[in-house]
Amino acid sequence: MTSFDEPLHGGPDARGAAPHDFSTNANACGPCPSALAALQKADARRYPDPRYTALCEGLARFHGVDAERIVIAASASEFIGRITAAVAQQGGRGVWMPPHSYGDYQRTAGAWGFEPAPAAGADLAWCCDPSSPFGQAQNGLQALTDSPLPLKGTCVLDLAYEPLRLEGSLGLSPAQKDRVWQLWTPNKALGLTGIRAAYAIAPRDAGAMIARLGRLAPSWPLGAHGVALLTAWTGAEAQDWLRHSLDTLRAWKREQEALCAALGWTCLPSVANYFCARPDVPYAPRAAALRDAGIQLRDTRSFGLPDHVRLGVLPPASQSALQRAWPAARP
């Protein structure tokens, strides 16, 4: 039975993976061939370098920052838990996040006794652009990162979906990005969400927090396959593949939005490879029948958004399956 404290995510359930899984935001063009090849070649017989020296240097070159600013994490959720604990250790108790956002922000803050606070007075603030679940640019992000920084505490910018942005660009200058923690999880963009690996870029002059996060980290947060994924991510082959995949995703997204509109659904705007929609009739009573038909959507009630679903963009064959299954899924 699902409890209030149990995290809710898309993806496989107790029955395994749905053949047409719209519930996650992974790149449906994946897996990225060069990243997959790197995983297949990974040497799982040995521990990685516990300091991840070469990996941190490669990630730093990729982003044009000092290697000392790279913090390796087992996953985005692991980093969310670790930096929340670090802020709590420093006496932090006020947290701010967008009204609709990834549930692990709130869940972890609640576990550490944080209370909601205004953005300007929060000890910990969460941002996400493109946002989740909407896939939209976050309102007010530029104002939060303007100098002097109005936030008194730690601000984390979740960039899980930045590589999958299909329109526009992140509206922050390099100086603005240097004032926040940038959290990156490339497994979605590479179509390899089963490999858990992430990293953060620390703000400038965040040495004390970097050290605290290091003390809180487990030994070897990444295994050999996580190292292989993040190393491949920075390579030219993976980046070229990603750029080409975005063109395909844009075409699929137009087709999928048109399909939803033809079903009578109301689609919300999005700049990413996923979007929210309000079906013509409630989704929940049809969820079981859709799952039996191999269709899985993401109910957005856990995001505080009732009566909507979130759909990752999938190929035309999966869209056709949804088109057939929705009218037939009688409660």
Side-chain angles (χ1 to χ4, degrees):
M1 179 180 295
T2 300
S3 69
F4 177 78
D5 290 326
E6 184 178 344
L8 298 174
H9 302 288
D13 54 21
R15 299 169 62 177
H20 308 287
D21 187 0
F22 293 85
S23 71
T24 74
N25 298 335
N27 187 339
C29 295
C32 170
S34 61
L36 184 60
L39 293 172
Q40 292 167 339
K41 294 176 184 176
D43 185 359
R45 298 172 300 168
R46 298 178 176 86
Y47 293 109
D49 167 15
R51 294 182 176 83
Y52 301 103
T53 307
L55 175 61
C56 288
E57 290 174 351
L59 292 169
R61 285 193 300 272
F62 182 69
H63 289 283
V65 300
D66 294 333
E68 292 75 17
R69 292 174 62 187
I70 302 295
V71 176
I72 299 298
S75 67
S77 293
E78 187 272 322
F79 183 81
I80 290 167
R82 194 173 359 145
I83 199 166
T84 302
V87 174
Q89 282 186 341
Q90 295 177 309
R93 287 295 178 268
V95 66
W96 179 87
M97 63 195 70
H100 306 287
S101 57
Y102 183 41
D104 278 18
Y105 307 157
Q106 183 175 6
R107 180 173 177 269
T108 307
W112 282 97
F114 281 75
E115 296 291 340
D123 301 298
L124 176 62
W126 289 101
C127 301
C128 188
D129 196 326
S131 64
S132 182
F134 295 114
Q136 300 171 356
Q138 181 173 321
N139 291 330
L141 180 61
Q142 289 78 12
L144 285 174
T145 55
D146 276 342
S147 182
L149 183 63
L151 292 165
K152 72 169 187 176
T154 297
C155 181
V156 184
L157 173 58
D158 189 342
L159 294 170
Y161 305 113
E162 173 60 18
L164 291 165
R165 187 189 296 270
L166 304 182
E167 302 173 40
S169 60
L170 181 66
L172 296 182
S173 68
Q176 288 173 317
K177 288 191 286 187
D178 279 344
R179 299 186 192 108
V180 299
W181 287 83
Q182 302 169 54
L183 178 56
W184 292 87
T185 47
N187 58 356
K188 296 180 180 65
L190 298 175
L192 288 160
T193 54
I195 303 297
R196 311 300 293 156
Y199 61 96
I201 303 173
R204 290 188 181 275
D205 305 318
M209 179 59 87
I210 293 172
R212 184 178 293 275
L213 290 169
R215 291 191 294 270
L216 288 170
S219 298
W220 295 287
L222 292 186
H225 294 91
V227 173
L229 181 85
L230 294 186
T231 302
W233 156 247
T234 64
E237 288 184 78
Q239 291 299 310
D240 287 345
W241 174 86
L242 176 59
R243 280 191 290 272
H244 288 301
S245 75
L246 298 184
D247 291 333
T248 301
L249 291 171
R250 290 185 187 99
W252 288 352
K253 183 180 180 183
R254 289 191 293 268
E255 295 171 5
Q256 190 163 308
E257 289 175 324
L259 164 64
C260 290
L263 291 174
W265 299 13
T266 302
C267 298
L268 304 186
S270 160
V271 300
N273 68 317
Y274 56 93
F275 58 92
C276 288
R278 181 168 185 163
D280 57 325
V281 295
Y283 164 70
R286 298 190 177 198
L290 286 171
R291 186 65 179 85
D292 289 341
I295 305 290
Q296 189 164 343
L297 310 178
R298 178 69 190 272
D299 190 321
T300 56
R301 285 177 294 179
S302 65
F303 291 100
L305 185 67
D307 303 322
H308 289 72
V309 294
R310 192 193 67 194
L311 302 94
V313 171
L314 291 189
S318 292
Q319 297 179 27
S320 295
L322 174 61
Q323 185 178 33
R324 293 189 301 270
W326 179 254
R330 303 302 179 192

